[in-house]
């Protein structure tokens, strides 16, 4: 099946070639309890990592987890740069790199072979600058599912891939912790996908920022509940050790205590405060010292390339890489670091999953989570509708249209609602905004006994001939339920596919008191880059919209 899929991609021109395979592949890494080991010899693995991606603002000390640029250079597809940089990474003492965005349509054989030969592993974010779980407009939809699974498909063939980050610094304050539910759903679905594809074991985790208000709660949230929904590892982006700090004054001692009971590996997904500069990296001895190695599995220095943010280990000029003082200092510190681990056979994990947050300020429910994106379900639903969005309706009109239809009696938007606090999700909350609006129009039309005027919305809606669902469609729509409030348990087929319509998911959540004439809906449109609260005052079958 996988070979057929890859061949189809080549035939269609989506990728230039299928990887020929890596010669002399390294021993893959495996996770057992809160530690990482080499699979064959059982030696514990401690990350001596470097963030490796040029001209990318999707993460790191100057990022916010939501890059705005549309272009990026895939560091694992740039063979010339890999030939230049891998020897320098190896000489530094690197054994793992973190990449923030790779292009799954590219061939990565050359770079992955070079890294493999140098004994360097890879952990990669699944997102890219235009496809990520963004704290300003959080979604988990068909397009993101397709992006994430395609990266896994591409990188799964390489033994030196440890795993993936399903999100980076998405929630960073109490007022956006609800967004974490989307990340947890992505973790759940990518773990299930890896298992369904019979790929070798690869972890799926999350990289968090060091925000005091939520650091404990978000770690507990991503680790709590059933193992199928919790992270396989926890990455910590931390810059609290600056200059000649200490284990205690930097907060490292406190972080070590906080994670002592974690049942999955914890490591620094980014570290390396650059004030003052150049960095001496005195924290390295603490990270790989006996106190921290009982809990942490090492860390990843931010970053290899010197850019405007002044975090580089080397400067690039044409095809030449020049070592900066930071490189030499880090090299010296890593050479002195001698962490002592345990053997896998002698290690018997005793830690258990964390309890879910109970703090009143925490916004995300751990169960249920947002539904698994299923492009086929959305397409089946669209084919079954008798009232659809008119083809000439601009997406800029969607906000007011959602406000109108969702304000009507009969709960026509129940099937697309998303309430992250209490975990109430419509089955179509992950469909794109055109599909969601069509579902809402049709629900209202059906509730009005197919009155012609009920499928109009001032020309924004139009009737269509529907097809009777059969086969898979019949099963999916039955699980979703007529109102769209059921739970779809059938797994998505293939890699997730692409969504029709606008290509982005809208979501809405409603709050309405009994007998109230005022419906309040939060509508989020990724396609518009717009998030608004829509107030619909319902009276005599009409709605007044206040935006």
């Amino acid at each position: 099946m996988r070979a057929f899929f890859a061949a189809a991609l080549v035939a269609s021109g989506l990728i230039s070639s299928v990887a020929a395979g890596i010669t002399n592949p390294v021993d893959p890494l495996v996770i057992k309890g809160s530690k990482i080991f080499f699979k064959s010899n059982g030696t514990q693995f401690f990350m001596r990592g470097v963030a490796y991606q040029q001209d990318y603002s999707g993460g790191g000390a100057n990022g916010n987890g939501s890059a705005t640029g549309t272009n990026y250079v895939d560091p694992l597809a740039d063979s010339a740069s890999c030939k230049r940089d891998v020897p320098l990474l190896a000489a530094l003492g690197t054994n793992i790199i973190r990449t923030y965005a790779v292009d799954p349509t590219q061939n990565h054989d050359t770079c992955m072979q070079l890294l493999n030969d140098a004994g360097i592993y890879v952990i990669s974010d699944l997102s890219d600058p235009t496809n990520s779980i963004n704290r300003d407009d959080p979604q988990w939809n068909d397009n993101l599912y397709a992006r994430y699974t395609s990266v896994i498909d591409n990188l799964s063939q390489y033994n030196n891939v440890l795993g993936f980050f399903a999100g980076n610094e998405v929630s960073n304050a109490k007022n956006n912790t609800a967004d974490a539910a989307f990340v947890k759903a992505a973790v759940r679905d990518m773990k299930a996908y890896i298992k369904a594809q019979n790929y070798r074991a690869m972890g799926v985790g999350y990289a968090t920022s060091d925000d005091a208000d939520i650091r404990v709660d978000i770690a507990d949230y991503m680790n709590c509940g059933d193992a199928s929904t919790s992270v396989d590892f926890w990455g910590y982006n931390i810059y609290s050790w600056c200059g000649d700090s200490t284990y205690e004054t930097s907060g490292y001692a406190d972080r070590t205590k906080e994670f002592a009971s974690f049942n999955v590996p914890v490591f620094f997904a980014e570290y390396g405060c650059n004030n003052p500069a150049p960095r001496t990296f005195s924290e390295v001895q603490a990270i790989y010292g006996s106190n921290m190695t009982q809990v942490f599995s090492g860390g990843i220095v931010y970053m290899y390339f010197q850019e405007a943010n002044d975090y580089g280990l080397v400067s690039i000029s044409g095809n030449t890489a020049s070592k900066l003082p930071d490189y030499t200092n880090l090299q010296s510190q890593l050479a002195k670091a001698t962490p002592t681990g345990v053997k896998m056979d002698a290690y018997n994990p005793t830690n258990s999953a964390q309890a879910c947050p109970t703090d009143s300020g925490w916004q995300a429910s751990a169960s249920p989570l947002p539904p698994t994106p299923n492009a086929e379900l959305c397409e089946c639903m669209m084919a079954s509708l008798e009232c659809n969005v008119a083809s000439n309706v601009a997406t800029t009109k969607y906000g007011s249209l959602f406000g109108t239809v969702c304000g009507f009696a009969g709960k026509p938007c129940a099937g697309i609602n998303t309430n992250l606090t209490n975990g109430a999700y419509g089955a179509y909350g992950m469909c794109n905004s055109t599909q969601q609006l069509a579902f809402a129009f049709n629900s209202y039309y059906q509730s009005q006994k197919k009155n012609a005027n009920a499928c109009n919305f001032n020309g924004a809606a139009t009737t269509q001939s529907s097809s009777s669902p059969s086969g898979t469609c019949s099963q999916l729509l039955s699980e979703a339920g007529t109102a769209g409030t059921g739970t779809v348990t059938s797994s998505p087929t293939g890699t997730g596919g692409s969504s029709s319509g606008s290509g982005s998911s809208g979501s809405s959540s409603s709050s309405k008191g009994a007998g109230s004439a005022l419906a309040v809906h939060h509508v989020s449109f990724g396609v518009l880059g717009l998030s608004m609260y829509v107030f619909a005052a319902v009276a005599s079958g009409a709605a007044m919209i206040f935006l």
Side-chain angles (χ1 to χ4, degrees):
M1 180 68 179
R2 180 182 168 200
F4 174 80
F5 178 69
L9 288 176
V10 174
S12 66
L14 290 176
I15 59 175
S16 57
S17 64
V18 180
I22 297 299
T23 60
N24 300 315
V26 294
D27 189 13
L29 300 173
V30 296
I31 294 170
K32 180 180 180 181
S34 61
K35 303 186 187 302
I36 306 170
F37 298 92
F38 292 98
K39 183 177 182 179
S40 296
N41 64 24
T43 302
Q44 189 175 349
F45 178 81
F46 292 97
M47 294 185 180
R48 299 169 180 258
V50 175
Y52 183 74
Q53 185 130 20
Q54 194 168 15
D55 297 326
Y56 183 75
S57 59
N62 68 329
N64 65 1
S66 53
T68 56
T70 57
N71 298 314
Y72 63 94
V73 175
D74 179 348
L76 301 182
D78 187 350
S79 300
S81 294
C82 288
K83 291 174 182 177
R84 177 196 65 207
D85 297 331
V86 170
L88 287 171
L89 287 165
L92 183 64
T94 306
N95 64 8
I96 191 167
I97 61 171
R98 177 183 178 183
T99 58
Y100 292 94
V102 299
D103 184 348
T105 68
Q106 298 298 309
N107 186 293
H108 299 117
D109 283 2
T110 299
C111 286
M112 294 304 290
Q113 183 72 64
L114 289 166
L115 291 165
N116 177 91
D117 293 346
I120 298 175
Y121 294 79
V122 174
I123 187 168
S124 183
D125 291 42
L126 292 169
S127 60
D128 70 20
T130 57
N131 292 280
S132 64
I133 301 175
N134 186 326
R135 76 171 72 108
D136 297 324
D137 184 18
Q139 303 171 60
W140 178 232
N141 58 29
D142 292 341
N143 288 345
L144 287 177
Y145 185 94
R147 158 70 195 184
Y148 281 28
T149 53
S150 64
V151 173
I152 291 174
D153 288 338
N154 186 285
L155 295 183
S156 63
Q157 61 195 306
Y158 305 114
N159 267 21
N160 55 333
V161 173
L162 168 63
F164 310 94
F165 286 120
N168 181 72
E169 300 185 3
V170 178
S171 298
N172 67 345
K174 285 187 175 181
N175 64 2
N176 58 31
T177 53
D179 301 353
F182 291 104
V183 180
K184 197 171 176 77
V187 169
R188 172 202 63 199
D189 292 342
M190 294 307 98
K191 290 177 65 166
Y193 183 78
I194 290 170
K195 183 177 180 180
Q197 298 300 111
N198 291 317
Y199 292 146
R200 63 174 178 81
M202 293 177 290
V204 182
Y206 177 71
T208 185
S209 53
D210 183 28
D211 299 296
D213 287 347
I214 66 168
R215 67 160 68 100
V216 173
D217 279 345
I218 193 167
D220 290 350
Y221 177 76
M222 296 302 294
N223 183 246
C224 76
D226 189 82
S228 64
T229 68
S230 60
V231 290
D232 294 317
F233 49 72
W234 186 252
Y236 207 1
N237 300 342
I238 184 168
Y239 295 86
S240 61
W241 187 307
C242 297
D244 295 325
S245 189
T246 68
Y247 178 59
E248 289 76 19
T249 60
S250 65
Y252 278 25
D254 293 332
R255 305 293 82 76
T256 302
K257 291 178 183 177
E258 288 168 358
F259 286 102
S261 62
F262 238 54
N263 69 332
V264 298
V266 181
F267 54 89
F268 289 170
E270 293 173 3
Y271 75 92
C273 173
N274 67 349
N275 184 21
R279 295 177 285 183
T280 62
F281 290 106
S282 58
E283 67 264 47
V284 166
Q285 301 313 308
I287 293 172
Y288 300 99
S290 59
N291 286 326
M292 293 189 67
T293 54
Q294 299 299 312
V295 176
F296 285 89
S297 295
I300 299 171
V301 169
Y302 189 82
M303 66 168 305
Y304 182 79
F305 298 98
Q306 175 71 329
E307 296 178 340
N309 57 15
D310 203 32
Y311 278 88
L313 300 177
V314 303
S315 63
I316 305 297
S317 178
N319 294 322
T320 303
S322 301
K323 301 175 184 176
L324 296 173
D326 283 21
Y327 178 100
T328 305
N329 292 340
L330 178 60
Q331 184 183 45
S332 175
Q333 293 285 2
L334 288 173
K336 294 185 293 183
T338 56
T340 301
V342 298
K343 295 291 289 185
M344 182 163 57
D345 289 344
Y347 170 58
N348 297 305
T350 57
N351 291 347
S352 57
Q354 305 299 110
C356 293
T358 56
D359 177 25
S360 59
W362 183 259
Q363 299 177 339
S365 170
S367 180
L369 294 170
T372 299
N374 193 321
E376 189 173 10
L377 168 65
C378 299
E379 292 161 1
C380 291
M381 177 268 289
M382 290 293 286
S384 72
L385 302 183
E386 295 179 288
C387 181
N388 199 352
V389 180
S391 60
N392 62 346
V393 178
T395 55
T396 54
K397 302 290 187 182
Y398 281 13
S400 60
L401 290 169
F402 271 113
T404 299
V405 66
C406 291
F408 288 140
K411 300 181 179 179
C413 292
I416 61 175
N417 280 345
T418 296
N419 191 317
L420 300 176
T421 302
N422 63 21
Y425 303 103
Y428 303 109
M430 47 70 191
C431 297
N432 69 51
S433 54
T434 300
Q435 293 166 336
Q436 289 191 20
L437 185 58
F439 174 83
F441 280 172
N442 187 74
S443 294
Y444 179 69
Y445 178 63
Q446 299 298 327
S447 73
Q448 299 303 303
K449 304 185 185 302
K450 302 182 183 180
N451 184 302
N453 291 330
C455 185
N456 187 295
F457 291 89
N458 294 322
T462 182
T463 57
Q464 68 175 27
S465 298
S466 64
S467 60
S468 298
S470 60
T472 302
C473 277
S474 178
Q475 175 67 26
L476 291 171
L477 294 177
S478 175
E479 291 175 3
T482 303
T485 55
T487 300
V488 176
T489 57
S490 298
S491 299
T493 58
T495 309
S498 60
S499 300
S500 59
S502 65
S504 295
S505 169
S507 61
S508 63
S509 59
S510 66
S511 172
K512 184 176 181 181
S516 171
L518 181 65
V520 184
H521 299 272
H522 177 255
V523 185
S524 173
F525 302 103
V527 66
L528 306 178
L530 174 66
S531 184
M532 67 183 75
Y533 281 91
V534 181
F535 296 88
V538 182
S540 302
M544 296 181 291
I545 310 302
F546 304 94
L547 301 181

